[in-house]
Structures are given as structure tokens and as C-alpha cells.
Amino acid sequence: MSFEWPWQYNFPPFFTLQPNVDTRQKQLAAWCSLALSYCRHHKLYTLDVMEAQESPMFNNKKIERKLSMEAIQVVFEELRKKGNLEWLDKNKSRCLVMWRRPEEWGKLIYQWVSKTGMVNSVFTLYELSNGDETEGEEFHGLEDWMLLRSLQALQTEGKAELFTMDDGKGVKFF
Amino acid sequence: MDRFSWSNGLLEINETLVIQQRGVRLYDGDDKAKMDLGVALLSTHRLIWRDIKNHECCIAMPLSQIIYFEEQAAGIGKSAKIVIHLHQVPANKEPGPYQYSKYSYIKLSFKEHGQIEFYRRLTEEMTKKRWKNTPVSQPIPTGTGSQAGKTRAVGIVGIERKIEEKRKETDKNISEAFEDLSKLMVKAKEMVELSRSIANKIKDKQGDITEDETIRFKAYLLSMGIANPVTRETHGSGTHYHMQLAKQLGDMLQAPLELLSPEDLVNACKMFESLKLPLRLRVFDSGVMVVQLQSHSEEEMIASALDNVSEKGSLTAEEFAKLLGLSVLLSKERLLLAEKMGHLCRDDSVEGLRFYPNLF
């Protein structure tokens, strides 16, 4: 299924950082939403900022408009404040994109665990993300770093406990 | 408008085109004529107007119909115009677009500028009255001389005459340009004499400086834009000079004939409200100052800006200026204001700065 662009994507002013504060707020909200949907659709978990500027996400070749580097940084800062983005380096050249926050993933995983009656069972991380049983679930294929954070979130809520085994990490659900 | 006759727009054998200008709307007296925008053409013999969209619609009037004409400067939201007062309808006039008109003047409204040049050329043609000499080149009577000699004389004399005319024109332009300067020099001379006299009196401790001299001196200082140093009056309390100036400006935005310093102009404008004049000095965020009619409310300007932009999809400051017949500076300020109010948003790219309706 191809990605559905929001109407703003074909509106040239969308690609100019608006000076009017109220207008800018709405503009940024739309950009955050677009960035997260795009990453979700293409299952992107990390972004390189330079590459992102050239990708269709920020560069609409049809109307010959693209977001400036300055504007992209503003959008990313908004995402960071909302908890959807984390910088991997001090130079802000690469970042993790959490189109779903760890807490949200944790909730999904726990739902599946309780639905399948697996509470009090133990899983390896690999089983959760790549096991046959989780095939078809949204969190199937989740990258390790994200899975770990999601489980850590559950751990904080007291719904799971992480532990280390010989060949990797495991988790028990309560 | 009942002085015009239908025309095919073609020039006669001896008729030459002098100037043409697009974007002209006709007025029957003070009322807009029933035609749309067109091209106004001035020839040596006639004033012609042709509809821009429908070329079949073409009307003309002989220049001899014109009694006199005057300029009407552009205003806010109004294009510059030329008002042309006309003789009575001649009995043998060919039919035209209007059978009858209660007015004996028309107006040409220049929506796409060009009024100044058109007016200048019209003045020239009405002075030269070339339509009276039907042949193209009038042989100058040289009295004696052979046929060949006569033709040659025409050529040379014609060229000489042109050179002489040009020289006179240049002279006139230069002397006009220096008129203001000579007025200033006269004033400066008076002031120099006065200050010399005062300086001498101070030096020689020769009697008191008369009150009259003091007043004259202060007046000169003021006219140069120097606020009165003795009494330290500021524009806030309003000097008499500024008040007078404000009143004059209020009348018809006509400044006195002397050169006016910018500070004086601004100070006078700041007094409009207190003097209950229907003009206001308005300062934009960028610092640009304009004088506008009090009736020009912000809401009206913004609403009309939004309408214009919505209609066209998007507009640059230049396009907007052209549309409304405003200066680019003023039209940009208006667009920025509408953006500030949240009605417009901007698209800033290599193609330039464009404004769109705020769809966010």
C-alpha cells in the first residue's frame, strides 16, 4: 500500500518555516505527524539527517519544494520534546525515530502476552521480536534497541522483569 | 463619452502613432464607462481606445475636441488619471458607443501606470497641433532657390530645427530643476546675512538683538529641521510651524513650495489626530511610515488582501502592487500585516516570496 501524503505536502507554504507563531504551531504539528507516519509506513527506526533532507519525506520534487536544514532541525526538536525522537550523536546527524514510544510498544506486547495467556512465562528477546508465535503482530520485527526500551518501560511499571542469560537477554511477564 | 466615434483603429496616411498604453479604463465624467480595460493610443491627430479582449471594439476622437486636460494623481487604491475636458459634440460626428452623455469631460484611468508619459506626450501633441498640417513634411518656404536647393534646405533646416528644439527643451529642464535650488539659495543668503548681523552684534556687544531678528532666526532654524534650541520645544507640544504644516498637509497632501525636511514632515504628520484631520501617520513593524486616510481601517485592508490572494491562488508583493496600483513597498506591508493576523502564510523559495491564504 503506497503512502498517503497529507494535503499540506502539496501546499508550497508547508515547506517554508512560518513566521506567524500560531501558523507555525499548526505547521509543525503537521510535519511531526507526517514524519512519524512516513517512518511508520516504511518501518524506519533511525534517520540520517542529511539523507532525510533529500528523501521524499522532506523533499517534494513535484512542487519543487523541500524543507531547509534549519526547518528540519526545528521539526526534529519538536519530535524530541514529544518523546518521539532521540539523538544518537552530539552533532545531531543521526537519530532514533520512535513513531511509537517505548511505553506504547510495551503496552502492545503486554496485551499480546495476556491475550495468549502467557503471563508468568519467560521469553527471550529474540522470541518476542522474531519468533513464529509473534508473526503478524505489530511488534514483530521490532529492532532490538526499541524492544529493550519497551520492556524496560514495562519493567518500570512492574509488569515485566528483564534478566540476562548466557546467550542474550530474556524477560518474564507478570 | 459621447464625443467618441467607432473606429477601425487604422491610422490615416499622414497620421503617426505617438504613444500607446495598456491597462487604461475610460470614465464618462465621474462614472466608469461601460467598457472594460483597453489600450489607449495617442496619435498626432486622434485619441484612440481599443478593448484589450475584443479588438473589434475600437473608438476614436479627434484631438481638436480637447479644450484642456489635467492630471489626477494616484491615491490609495486609486490609479493615476488624466481628466480631459471637451468641446461640444460636433453636428457631423460619426456614431459611437454613447449617444448622449451628461458630462463634457472624460477620464483615462491608468491601471498599469504610464500616466506620466502619456500626459507628457498629450501635452506635446496639443501644443504642436500637428493634425492641422496634413502633409507629413511641410516644406519650409525658403523664398528663392532651385527645386533641388529647396529640398536640400528642407532637410538641413529640419535637422537644425530639431536640434534647436532639443536644446530649448534641455535648457528648460535644467532651469526647472534649479528653480528649487535657487529658492533655497535665496533663503540661505537671507539667513547668512541675518546670522552675520547677529554674530557681529554679539562680537561687538553692539546693542540688543531685536526680538524680530530672534524670531526670524528661529524660523530659519525650524525650516531647516532644527528644533528651537532656546525654548526646547519638541514636536510633542507642537510648534506653530508644525501645526501650520500639518494643516496644509491635511488639505491636499501638498507641501509648501520650499524644500521640506523629512523630520518636519514626520512631525507634522504626527499631529494629524490632535488637529482632527482625516489623515493618520501609520508606522509598520518594519519601520516604514505611510500617511493614510483615517477611513482606511485595518480590517478592510486585510480582508481585501485576503480576497485578492485567494482569487489568484497566491501573490507576490509585486503582483499585488500591480493589481491594486500601489507601490511595491506598501503592498508588501499590507501582505505582511495580513500574515501577522494569520490570514495569509508565506512560501519562500528560490522563485521568490509568495503569499497564500492561510490554509493551516
Side-chain angles (χ1 to χ4, degrees):
Chain A
M1 195 179 72
S2 67
F3 183 67
E4 266 185 50
W5 298 100
W7 69 265
Q8 292 95 330
Y9 189 67
N10 288 306
F11 186 48
F14 192 46
F15 293 82
T16 302
L17 201 53
Q18 295 298 316
N20 179 310
V21 170
D22 296 322
T23 312
R24 180 185 290 210
Q25 259 176 358
K26 296 192 195 139
Q27 178 192 25
L28 287 177
W31 269 116
C32 287
S33 170
L34 190 162
L36 291 177
S37 323
Y38 186 86
C39 289
R40 173 191 268 122
H41 183 88
H42 291 100
K43 293 238 188 302
L44 301 173
Y45 296 95
T46 56
L47 284 180
D48 176 291
V49 179
M50 298 294 270
E51 280 173 22
Q53 199 195 18
E54 295 306 317
S55 91
M57 178 163 60
F58 292 132
N59 184 349
N60 184 345
K61 290 213 160 82
K62 197 173 84 168
I63 61 168
E64 291 176 320
R65 293 285 185 279
K66 66 181 189 188
L67 268 190
S68 68
M69 195 48 90
E70 185 210 347
I72 291 177
Q73 289 291 350
V74 173
V75 174
F76 279 179
E77 177 57 17
E78 275 303 298
L79 285 169
R80 190 196 66 79
K81 280 197 276 196
K82 289 181 358 170
N84 294 106
L85 185 145
E86 217 174 85
W87 288 110
L88 283 170
D89 63 328
K90 256 201 290 262
N91 298 326
K92 296 196 180 173
S93 65
R94 285 180 66 78
C95 58
L96 299 173
V97 179
M98 292 169 274
W99 35 272
R100 203 170 248 140
R101 293 203 319 279
E103 297 78 20
E104 292 164 329
W105 281 121
K107 196 165 160 197
L108 272 178
I109 293 169
Y110 193 81
Q111 271 173 2
W112 175 81
V113 165
S114 34
K115 195 176 69 177
T116 53
M118 299 286 208
V119 178
N120 285 314
S121 310
V122 169
F123 292 89
T124 64
L125 263 48
Y126 184 79
E127 276 176 315
L128 277 178
S129 60
N130 293 91
D132 294 330
E133 289 137 6
T134 64
E135 191 96 41
E137 293 303 315
E138 278 192 67
F139 56 84
H140 186 90
L142 196 59
E143 284 185 5
D144 274 349
W145 63 269
M146 183 48 116
L147 179 58
L148 193 57
R149 288 190 195 205
S150 320
L151 297 172
Q152 278 165 346
L154 280 176
Q155 184 166 259
T156 323
E157 291 169 37
K159 292 190 169 147
E161 189 180 311
L162 283 159
F163 52 87
T164 323
M165 304 177 307
D166 292 332
D167 51 349
K169 283 192 161 49
V171 60
K172 180 174 178 178
F173 292 98
F174 302 114
Chain B
M1 279 297 293
D2 58 346
R3 292 359 177 227
F4 275 106
S5 304
W6 292 114
S7 164
N8 56 13
L10 298 174
L11 297 175
E12 303 292 313
I13 297 263
N14 300 307
E15 194 182 10
T16 337
L17 182 64
V18 172
I19 186 174
Q20 68 182 33
Q21 178 61 47
R22 286 167 47 102
V24 175
R25 164 166 264 125
L26 295 173
Y27 280 71
D28 178 32
D30 287 328
D31 308 328
K32 274 192 189 149
K34 54 192 174 188
M35 286 85 121
D36 289 337
L37 278 185
V39 187
L41 301 102
L42 174 67
S43 78
T44 45
H45 292 58
R46 298 178 288 169
L47 176 64
I48 305 169
W49 183 93
R50 181 188 293 125
D51 188 315
I52 257 184
K53 289 191 197 127
N54 175 18
H55 289 253
E56 304 276 309
C57 175
C58 182
I59 55 179
M61 168 189 355
L63 293 180
S64 51
Q65 275 288 136
I66 300 178
I67 304 177
Y68 84 99
F69 53 98
E70 56 196 346
E71 293 180 287
Q72 200 172 69
I76 299 167
K78 288 193 170 80
S79 313
K81 298 183 177 58
I82 297 179
V83 185
I84 305 180
H85 296 263
L86 306 160
H87 287 290
Q88 295 297 330
V89 186
N92 59 346
K93 196 207 85 160
E94 299 287 329
Y98 279 67
Q99 285 274 53
Y100 162 77
S101 164
K102 62 182 180 182
Y103 297 102
S104 45
Y105 63 99
I106 59 164
K107 293 190 198 181
L108 304 180
S109 177
F110 291 79
K111 299 271 168 217
E112 291 178 23
H113 307 288
Q115 176 260 351
I116 296 173
E117 191 57 25
F118 204 92
Y119 178 86
R120 192 174 79 78
R121 295 308 195 95
L122 183 58
T123 313
E124 249 178 51
E125 292 310 311
M126 292 304 294
T127 314
K128 288 183 193 163
K129 291 188 170 33
R130 288 195 269 181
W131 67 83
K132 290 202 172 159
N133 332 319
T134 329
V136 173
S137 55
Q138 176 97 318
I140 316 296
T142 53
T144 56
S146 66
Q147 186 72 5
K150 215 188 211 172
T151 324
R152 222 182 304 130
V154 167
I156 292 171
V157 171
I159 292 170
E160 281 181 342
R161 197 151 51 95
K162 271 212 180 78
I163 294 172
E164 177 63 22
E165 270 172 28
K166 205 162 169 86
R167 194 192 63 77
K168 280 200 191 124
E169 180 77 25
T170 312
D171 265 353
K172 186 163 149 269
N173 286 343
I174 290 174
S175 47
E176 269 174 20
F178 277 102
E179 238 172 62
D180 279 338
L181 193 58
S182 47
K183 280 196 191 121
L184 179 65
M185 281 167 63
V186 164
K187 257 221 135 68
K189 191 166 163 213
E190 283 172 23
M191 192 173 171
V192 165
E193 274 170 23
L194 179 63
S195 25
R196 200 174 285 150
S197 138
I198 292 177
N200 284 334
K201 283 192 180 166
I202 292 171
K203 195 177 79 174
D204 303 340
K205 292 192 176 78
Q206 215 177 66
D208 293 315
I209 299 166
T210 67
E211 194 183 318
D212 176 57
E213 278 170 328
T214 312
I215 290 171
R216 275 172 66 203
F217 192 64
K218 281 189 200 171
Y220 282 135
L221 285 179
L222 277 174
S223 71
M224 287 205 309
I226 303 166
N228 193 323
V230 176
T231 61
R232 292 212 182 91
E233 277 174 41
T234 64
H235 68 267
S237 52
T239 64
H240 185 67
Y241 175 68
H242 286 138
M243 280 199 266
Q244 287 301 105
L245 196 50
K247 286 199 180 109
Q248 281 193 346
L249 281 168
D251 277 341
M252 281 294 276
L253 268 182
Q254 277 172 3
L257 285 173
E258 285 116 16
L259 296 177
L260 196 56
S261 74
E263 288 81 35
D264 275 341
L265 183 60
V266 170
N267 289 338
C269 288
K270 283 176 181 163
M271 292 180 145
F272 283 146
E273 195 158 350
S274 61
L275 289 174
K276 305 229 187 316
L277 294 166
L279 294 174
R280 290 289 176 273
L281 179 69
R282 197 221 164 94
V283 184
F284 287 98
D285 290 340
S286 60
V288 167
M289 295 193 219
V290 297
V291 175
Q292 65 182 48
L293 288 175
Q294 190 190 12
S295 60
H296 241 92
S297 71
E298 224 171 83
E299 296 79 40
E300 272 173 39
M301 291 207 294
I302 292 165
S304 88
L306 181 56
D307 283 340
N308 290 125
V309 173
S310 303
E311 205 188 335
K312 300 281 180 195
S314 69
L315 284 176
T316 64
E318 288 77 19
E319 289 164 356
F320 191 50
K322 212 168 174 190
L323 199 63
L324 296 186
L326 290 175
S327 68
V328 175
L329 189 63
L330 196 54
S331 81
K332 182 151 189 202
E333 290 299 332
R334 213 176 266 196
L335 290 170
L336 288 174
L337 190 61
E339 181 192 40
K340 192 168 153 193
M341 298 280 113
H343 296 271
L344 297 179
C345 59
R346 65 169 64 189
D347 165 42
D348 204 347
S349 70
V350 291
E351 297 166 22
L353 180 59
R354 230 162 225 293
F355 288 88
Y356 285 74
N358 185 0
L359 301 176
F360 285 110

